[in-house]
Amino acid sequence: MSEIAPEAVAEQVTPSTPDATAEVGRARLRTEDARLITGRTTWTDNIQLPGLLHVAFLRSPISHARITRIDAEDARRRPGVIAVVTGADLAGEQGSLPCAWPVTEDMVLPDHPPVAVDEVRYVGEPVAAVVARDRYAAVDALEAIDIDYEPLPAVVDMERAIEEGTGLVHADKGTNTSYTWVFEAGEPDAAFRDAPVVIERRYVQQRLIPTAMEPRAVVCSAVGDEYTLWSATQIPHILRLMLATVTGIPEHRLRVIAPDVGGGFGSKLQVYGEEVVCLLLARRLGRPVKWTESRSEGNMAVHHGRDQIQRLSLAADRDGRIRGLKVDLLADMGAYLMLVTPGIPLLGAFMFNGIYKMDAYSFRCTGVFTNKTPTDAYRGAGRPEATFGIERMMDELAAELGLDPLEVRRRNWIAHEEFPYDTISGLTYDSGNYEAATEKAMRLFDYDKLRAEQADRRDRGDPVQLGIGVSTFTEMCGLAPSRVLGSLSYGAGGWEHASVRVLPSGKVEVVTGSSAHGQGHETAWAQIAADRLGVPFEDVRVLHGDTSVSPKGMDTYGSRSLAVGGVALYNACDKVVDKARRMAAHLLEADEGDLEFSGGSFSVKGVPGQARTLQEVALAAFAAHDLPEGFEPSLDSEATHDPENFSFPHGTHLCAVEVDTETGFVKIRSYVAVDDVGKVVNPLIVEGQVHGGLAQGIAQALYEEAVYDADGNLTTTTMADYLVPSAADLPTFTTDRTETPATTNPLGVKGVGEAGTIASTPAVVNAIVDALRPYGVDDVPMPCTPERVWRALRAAQSGQAPPGGSPEPGAGGGLGSAGGAA
Amino acid sequence: MPHVSVDVDGVRYEDEVEARLLLTHYLRDRLGKVGTPIGCDTSNCGACTVLMDGLSVKSCSVLAVQADGHEITTVEGLGDGQDLHPMQRAFHEEHALQCGYCTPGMIMAALDLLRDNADPSDEEIRAGLEGNLCRCTGYQNIVRAVRRAADGMRQAERPEEARS
């Protein structure tokens, strides 16, 4: 391995140590924990209201069928049953679930009734709802609903779906193609013409089930024409607007509350039919209703993630320099387009080039309908898929040229002195230092020593081979500059809102439009406000997640909360200080320009003892007895921040795996993640986010897959079949950071929520392939279960074509219960 | 309907329950003990773990009638009203939770793990918590927290040795 440019290492990229009094940068223990560790949490399902009724949904057992008859009379007569509604009953009021991202002008956008009316298009689609006095009575009555289905052809394979003559998911649309979206930069054909090296691969991003630990739940009450809806959602603000749009209930009559929410990972960035139906039922019945899903129905009905077939071509010179990259994707939409379904794969369009320089790039994505659960955002959302593609290709290029995978990356990545850098896909990366992160990761990993051990095991023919996987990733986060969203035809902006109230006692309330569901905003936001205002951390309370309390917001997803919402808070705090400065100058009978603000106190420069604290100023403003001319008696301020650019966290992840060539079993021996997420508000929270992200990315590489059989039945409906890893399935991670501040926001922050997931999947698969490459293996389809590793080895050794990312489900679904085509 | 007499977090309850009623629903819907959440319906995730006579059980796979005559401890019954239980404190101090949904079950399972093995290695902790799933933390800080709690609880039990 040749050396990483040593001058880069000397750069000041070591994480900054905050001064002892600063809150930002301090590893504060979380204030959220107090209620979470004692069981005093308000999960949606914990909410009880007088007269509360319980809802249960009957779901389609068939992937594609016409509903020819529904008889719900027996169910209605069951004891304790208040109402049974079918799609036909709701047809006049249920509307169509929204898709906010029409990615092309001619995108095919089918109607999506919350409860199916005359046709079902995936297993798990709601067909009726029962309202009863308790959970058990509601579920009991589902059995008494009698439905006749006339089966229609199931479309389960994306590549076949777009062939002529295949059955149609939406017959009236005449096609299974929702859209084709293209992007091109440079001259791709010229770049590939006469290229000394061309590598072509087909990779499959298997379908995943997000699996937040808290299942979805909704409570809705109607009092007169005022509605309150509690939901386990990431997006109370967007949900309020969308529910108003779908149901016609005026937005100002609808309050949406996201109470304590037990994780989301994108799955609760959605407007779900169950939310609409609970609202309609509360309106119809005049009584509050609650619905809580079981995990088994959730696996079928919560939107899924990933599910792409990637055809990638990379052209390079003999020295490893990339000339161009061509990306051709099939992206499975599932049966309907949900909130941002069609846009998810396009978030990868700008990331396939990764951290690398190249002359030309083309991207083409075809969104395909199938009779499966709709897909939408899952942690990383388009960017893990892109990062996987490019990082796997870089390893393939290295293997083709006989170069170390880090060396081939070094020859192509953007050097630290080249920032800001305009990438081939049209983004401007503001800051980064790939050399420094890589150098640190290699040191922590003991790269050369592990390479030596690998060589030794190869020489000895050890049945347990060592593989080393590299992923030098970047991502775009801080979603998103509104003008960019506009140019991509997204239906809304990407700003975030914050307001700061200084109470008469000097305590501070921060209201944020971001909507935490496990991230720790209550702690981190208080740190930011405490620093900017110079008040004690304990004096700041953060309010969020209720449209009555926090009326403006764009919610939490896409690693946006800190990079957008945190900056809004920063700006709002500065406005408070500006107002207070004027008031303080008045009180001190000094010129504003002669005041300095430090440690929460305004003092007159050069006049010791002449000072007013922010709290004193707040009280004086509250009393309002003596105000500057024209001064409104309040320090309260708000800010809406629209980012000028995305932010670009990056990092180098190195993974060592031991692969048992006799059993196919993969064991992660060590995992090093060096991430550069810019400035850090709370290193404890950042480390936690990285750990959890790694777990999910590793899970895609090794364990998880939503498996459908040939008839479109999901065979991984339970946690026994869909393998969320346990503590015993994951290694201890070594994490560290380098720090190049973002230059596009005053906090210098980049976001961290998705980095671990985006980076880790290719690191693990690269490691497995690296271990097996001497055996002729150049790919193992995910998840790389023992069976698939074993089959890849046997196929390579018997001279058969390697599996090449075959979508054939193996034991990936779990404990051998996943049938599939295997 | 069967009659049950159950002690939950130090309070005796006498109730008529459907024979099929799950303990977890009895706790949540009948007693209002909503500190114990439900994460799945196949007894895989462990979010609903409580102690029955000191041994961990997944309350979704125990019927309320099976708890008749037994003592149940939930996360709400830990600590002494003033101070947190050392395991709760360790989860806080090691940042062993994010969304916190798995946390009550994880804490209760960890207590049972330490009852079996007061000084577990990291590997033993990982194996011992295999029946409790967390989607947020990647488990690393949970392992640290259990180790920290184990150290603290051993020292509390053997103050003489701890001082020596």
Side-chain angles (χ1 to χ4, degrees):
Chain A
M1 175 66 208
S2 47
E3 302 228 329
I4 299 298
E7 71 277 14
V9 180
E11 285 271 304
Q12 185 54 43
V13 292
T14 45
S16 51
T17 5
D19 71 78
T21 59
E23 278 296 334
V24 168
R26 176 182 295 196
R28 271 267 175 208
L29 295 177
R30 300 197 321 168
T31 45
E32 291 87 341
D33 292 356
R35 62 184 189 275
L36 297 168
I37 55 177
T38 52
R40 289 173 177 80
T41 320
T42 312
W43 310 117
T44 299
D45 187 63
N46 292 2
I47 292 167
Q48 289 292 346
L49 298 172
L52 185 70
L53 301 172
H54 290 261
V55 180
F57 285 90
L58 186 66
R59 296 176 183 280
S60 171
I62 302 177
S63 63
H64 196 190
R66 196 166 289 120
I67 300 170
T68 56
R69 188 184 67 94
I70 301 187
D71 182 352
E73 285 316 304
D74 279 356
R76 290 192 175 100
R77 284 195 293 269
R78 287 280 182 122
V81 171
I82 283 79
V84 180
V85 293
T86 65
D89 297 329
L90 295 172
E93 54 183 319
Q94 69 175 349
S96 182
L97 294 175
C99 173
W101 202 341
V103 295
T104 60
E105 284 186 8
D106 59 351
M107 181 182 83
V108 173
L109 173 59
D111 273 351
H112 186 187
V115 178
V117 178
D118 44 27
E119 192 169 325
V120 289
R121 295 186 176 87
Y122 67 94
V123 170
E125 185 170 359
V127 290
V130 170
V131 188
R133 63 185 291 184
D134 63 53
R135 300 175 203 272
Y136 284 32
V139 172
D140 284 349
L142 296 180
E143 290 175 7
I145 301 174
D146 192 23
I147 303 187
D148 290 343
Y149 294 100
E150 182 184 307
L152 295 166
V155 179
V156 292
D157 180 303
M158 269 195 284
E159 286 170 322
R160 286 185 53 198
I162 55 172
E163 290 170 3
E164 285 293 319
T166 304
L168 294 171
V169 177
H170 298 274
D172 59 322
K173 300 298 182 190
T175 177
N176 287 325
T177 298
S178 174
Y179 67 87
T180 298
W181 192 92
V182 295
F183 175 87
E184 196 169 294
E187 293 177 38
D189 289 337
F192 275 76
R193 197 174 304 128
D194 307 322
V197 181
V198 173
I199 294 171
E200 298 185 331
R201 293 288 185 272
R202 176 183 181 279
Y203 295 132
V204 175
Q205 289 283 324
Q206 81 270 32
R207 181 176 272 254
L208 300 178
I209 302 178
T211 321
M213 287 310 298
E214 181 201 21
R216 290 178 302 158
V218 181
V219 172
C220 188
S221 80
V223 178
D225 62 353
E226 306 280 338
Y227 300 88
T228 304
L229 182 127
W230 291 260
S231 182
T233 182
Q234 297 173 224
I235 54 162
H237 301 92
I238 296 172
L239 183 59
R240 180 196 197 198
L241 173 61
M242 288 295 155
L243 287 175
T245 307
V246 170
T247 64
I249 291 171
E251 190 182 355
H252 63 303
R253 301 291 179 205
L254 178 59
R255 173 186 181 188
V256 174
I257 301 172
D260 286 320
V261 176
F265 314 109
S267 72
K268 294 169 181 171
L269 162 53
Q270 191 55 271
V271 178
Y272 280 109
E274 293 89 348
E275 292 167 321
V276 173
V277 172
C278 284
L279 184 54
L280 299 179
L281 289 170
R283 178 165 72 176
R284 262 186 191 214
L285 302 170
R287 287 179 66 178
V289 299
K290 178 194 281 187
W291 166 72
T292 302
E293 75 184 352
S294 71
R295 180 64 60 185
S296 302
E297 67 177 330
N299 275 18
M300 294 187 286
V302 173
H303 73 238
H304 291 173
R306 314 281 191 262
D307 206 345
Q308 286 183 358
I309 297 171
Q310 309 177 324
R311 291 190 178 278
L312 309 175
S313 310
L314 187 140
D317 291 327
R318 270 277 146 215
D319 63 0
R321 196 188 67 83
I322 302 170
R323 290 181 163 205
L325 177 69
K326 292 182 180 178
V327 176
D328 190 358
L329 303 183
L330 292 183
D332 196 339
M333 306 285 99
Y336 299 98
L337 303 183
M338 295 192 74
L339 190 61
V340 287
T341 300
I344 295 301
L346 308 187
L347 288 172
F350 310 98
M351 284 284 110
F352 267 97
N353 49 302
I355 63 170
Y356 310 111
K357 298 178 279 192
M358 57 188 72
D359 305 326
Y361 171 59
S362 74
F363 174 93
R364 176 189 170 89
C365 176
T366 303
V368 182
F369 291 114
T370 60
N371 288 115
K372 297 181 184 176
T373 300
T375 59
D376 208 315
Y378 172 53
R379 200 171 193 172
R383 292 154 290 159
E385 296 91 318
T387 302
F388 181 88
I390 185 64
E391 289 304 301
R392 284 286 294 112
M393 291 299 272
M394 294 307 285
D395 263 36
E396 295 303 298
L397 177 61
E400 174 72 24
L401 298 174
L403 290 170
D404 184 284
L406 280 167
E407 174 60 20
V408 83
R409 285 168 171 80
R410 189 184 68 77
R411 292 183 186 183
N412 285 286
W413 70 35
I414 301 157
H416 67 282
E417 66 273 13
E418 293 178 276
F419 290 93
Y421 184 86
D422 294 332
T423 73
I424 190 71
S425 63
L427 297 175
T428 302
Y429 292 177
D430 61 324
S431 68
N433 190 323
Y434 309 137
E435 300 93 324
T438 301
E439 191 275 339
K440 194 171 207 176
M442 288 175 72
R443 188 156 37 81
L444 290 167
F445 190 71
D446 218 339
Y447 188 85
D448 293 335
K449 192 172 165 195
L450 281 168
R451 280 286 179 214
E453 180 184 333
Q454 176 182 50
D456 177 57
R457 288 203 194 204
R458 282 180 180 171
D459 290 346
R460 285 191 286 116
D462 191 333
V464 178
Q465 288 289 311
L466 186 71
I468 294 170
V470 175
S471 174
T472 51
F473 82 106
T474 189
E475 58 152 329
M476 53 192 265
C477 63
L479 305 186
S482 297
R483 67 182 159 77
V484 177
L485 293 177
S487 72
L488 294 172
S489 310
Y490 183 65
W495 47 264
E496 192 49 86
H497 185 78
S499 61
V500 177
R501 301 195 287 253
V502 187
L503 305 179
S505 62
K507 309 296 185 196
V508 174
E509 287 178 333
V510 164
V511 180
T512 175
S514 67
S515 191
H517 41 282
Q519 290 87 348
H521 296 177
E522 289 169 32
T523 304
W525 275 213
Q527 289 180 268
I528 294 170
D531 255 12
R532 295 308 293 168
L533 301 176
V535 301
F537 171 82
E538 294 76 11
D539 285 1
V540 184
R541 179 165 180 237
V542 178
L543 304 167
H544 65 91
D546 177 343
T547 59
S548 282
V549 173
S550 158
K552 285 184 74 174
M554 291 299 286
D555 307 315
T556 286
Y557 44 86
S559 305
R560 71 187 305 273
S561 293
L562 180 60
V564 189
V567 175
L569 172 58
Y570 181 99
N571 293 342
C573 288
D574 281 1
K575 289 185 182 180
V576 169
V577 172
D578 287 346
K579 284 188 189 177
R581 179 179 287 109
R582 187 161 168 229
M583 184 75 196
H586 181 72
L587 295 172
L588 291 164
E589 297 179 347
D591 191 89
E592 271 188 65
D594 292 335
L595 292 190
E596 55 188 20
F597 181 63
S598 169
S601 181
F602 294 93
S603 54
V604 183
K605 287 175 200 161
V607 188
Q610 278 280 72
R612 287 286 189 284
T613 64
L614 185 80
Q615 290 88 341
E616 289 168 337
V617 173
L619 184 61
F622 168 74
H625 298 159
D626 178 19
L627 301 174
E629 183 68 29
F631 187 88
E632 286 184 28
S634 170
L635 303 183
D636 299 354
S637 299
E638 54 185 298
T640 303
H641 175 66
D642 197 336
E644 59 175 271
N645 192 0
F646 297 94
S647 52
F648 302 96
H650 72 83
T652 297
H653 289 213
L654 299 173
C655 175
V657 297
E658 291 177 354
V659 182
D660 187 325
T661 57
E662 290 170 352
T663 66
F665 186 79
V666 174
K667 177 176 183 284
I668 295 182
R669 157 103 161 254
S670 64
Y671 195 103
V672 170
V674 175
D675 285 279
D676 185 337
V677 297
K679 289 278 187 187
V680 162
V681 174
N682 185 323
L684 193 74
I685 289 175
V686 164
E687 189 189 28
Q689 286 286 329
V690 171
H691 287 171
L694 293 176
Q696 282 180 20
I698 290 169
Q700 176 173 11
L702 294 179
Y703 304 119
E704 295 181 18
E705 179 174 27
V707 179
Y708 282 85
D709 71 11
D711 296 321
N713 297 303
L714 181 67
T715 63
T716 52
T717 55
T718 75
M719 282 178 156
D721 308 300
Y722 187 83
L723 256 192
V724 171
S726 76
D729 303 313
L730 291 169
T732 301
F733 313 115
T734 302
T735 58
D736 207 331
R737 291 190 293 111
T738 53
E739 191 173 295
T740 54
T743 62
T744 53
N745 68 66
L747 282 166
V749 297
K750 298 183 178 179
V752 67
E754 296 161 299
T757 303
I758 291 169
S760 56
T761 310
V764 175
V765 177
N766 276 340
I768 295 168
V769 174
D770 184 55
L772 301 181
R773 211 177 281 279
Y775 298 78
V777 171
D778 72 357
D779 190 30
V780 179
M782 296 188 291
C784 303
T785 58
E787 180 188 343
R788 281 183 168 167
V789 172
W790 188 88
R791 284 183 189 280
L793 262 168
R794 290 302 169 276
Q797 291 190 316
S798 64
Q800 296 169 10
S806 159
E808 177 181 291
L815 311 174
S817 55
Chain B
M1 280 200 282
H3 179 88
V4 293
S5 171
V6 190
D7 184 302
V8 181
D9 294 336
V11 177
R12 171 68 62 85
Y13 298 88
E14 305 271 346
D15 276 305
E16 312 296 320
V17 298
E18 274 190 83
R20 63 174 176 166
L21 183 68
L22 298 176
L23 175 60
T24 191
H25 287 135
Y26 177 66
L27 292 172
R28 292 179 55 79
D29 294 345
R30 294 288 288 277
L31 306 187
K33 304 285 289 184
V34 292
T36 300
I38 302 170
C40 74
D41 48 4
T42 48
S43 73
N44 291 100
C45 82
C48 65
T49 303
V50 298
L51 301 182
M52 187 153 85
D53 299 336
L55 304 182
S56 72
V57 294
K58 292 178 175 177
S59 61
C60 72
S61 49
V62 175
L63 296 167
V65 292
Q66 290 175 292
D68 183 34
H70 294 284
E71 267 184 31
I72 304 295
T73 307
T74 79
V75 73
E76 295 172 60
L78 296 181
D80 61 6
Q82 291 292 313
D83 292 322
L84 295 171
H85 186 282
M87 187 66 77
Q88 291 171 309
R89 204 164 54 235
F91 268 64
H92 173 56
E93 288 167 350
E94 293 292 351
H95 186 35
L97 62 149
Q98 289 177 34
C99 84
Y101 200 80
C102 74
T103 306
M106 200 66 82
I107 285 175
M108 303 315 282
L111 288 174
D112 194 28
L113 168 66
L114 296 191
R115 186 192 53 77
D116 256 357
N117 178 356
D119 187 13
S121 66
D122 284 5
E123 288 67 31
E124 287 167 332
I125 293 170
R126 285 178 181 275
L129 294 178
E130 195 175 19
N132 288 71
L133 299 178
C134 169
R135 195 57 156 167
C136 295
T137 65
Y139 302 102
Q140 187 148 328
N141 291 352
I142 291 175
V143 174
R144 279 186 201 160
V146 175
R147 209 172 50 219
R148 177 194 274 248
D151 293 347
M153 288 163 70
R154 280 200 319 278
Q155 288 184 14
E157 276 184 16
R158 296 197 299 272
E160 294 307 316
E161 289 173 41
R163 272 201 292 276
S164 63

